[in-house]
Amino acid sequence: MNIAQREQQIIRIQSQSSYASINEALEASQVTQKIIEAALDEEVQAYLSEVQGDRPRRSGYYQRVLDTQYGRIAQLSVPKLRKGNADREWQILERYQRALGSLLDFCLGLYVMGLSLRDLQEALYEILGAVLSVNAINRITLKAQKQMFQSRQTRLDTN
């Protein structure tokens, strides 16, 4: 089964079952977008109030795609500065970050709960709006499994 057929199958299953409506998911995604954008603005304002002397000035926004546990935000407005934008450390959203940690935690939680690759494919379709191949999901779960195994093998410090 190719990705297009799998996407059609997921859509058919969703239309026949009691999934939450797409409008509710979109609304949660829009609320998440507004909250993240407001927090980023506050972070920049706090940074500007701390800087003394040669204060950098605001230079508008740039758009970024961000995956969250509530869905994909296609156009997140991230504030930028005229000078020093690349040098400063961001607290909420790191430079080049494309997914929030909560999304990765969610995916790892699904894997630990024992979902099959096809079930993970369906769950991630709800969030990302696109079907990942079974091979891609398998690679992700193998990396997560390796990390979990390594954390189990580390010695506990009893001091």
Side-chain angles (χ1 to χ4, degrees), residues 107 110-111 115-124 137 141:
C107 294
L110 291 178
Y111 172 70
L115 264 62
S116 70
L117 294 177
R118 302 254 185 243
D119 291 341
L120 281 169
Q121 200 176 30
E122 188 173 333
L124 289 175
I137 293 175
T141 56

Side-chain angles (χ1 to χ4, degrees), residues 10-77:
I10 291 170
I11 291 170
R12 182 180 49 78
I13 291 169
Q14 287 175 347
S15 67
Q16 295 172 356
S17 66
S18 60
Y19 275 90
S21 72
I22 293 176
N23 289 337
E24 290 175 11
L26 287 174
E27 188 174 306
S29 177
Q30 291 170 353
V31 169
T32 303
Q33 178 177 356
K34 296 294 182 200
I35 290 170
I36 293 172
E37 286 175 350
L40 290 170
D41 279 334
E42 289 299 320
E43 182 178 345
V44 168
Q45 290 303 324
Y47 173 74
L48 290 175
S49 67
E50 290 174 7
V51 176
Q52 301 295 327
D54 188 23
R55 278 185 69 170
R57 288 191 267 158
R58 290 286 308 269
S59 181
Y61 298 88
Y62 65 93
Q63 303 298 313
R64 176 184 286 183
V65 174
L66 182 70
D67 292 327
T68 69
Q69 67 190 55
Y70 302 108
R72 177 168 279 177
I73 298 173
Q75 292 187 337
L76 180 71
S77 295

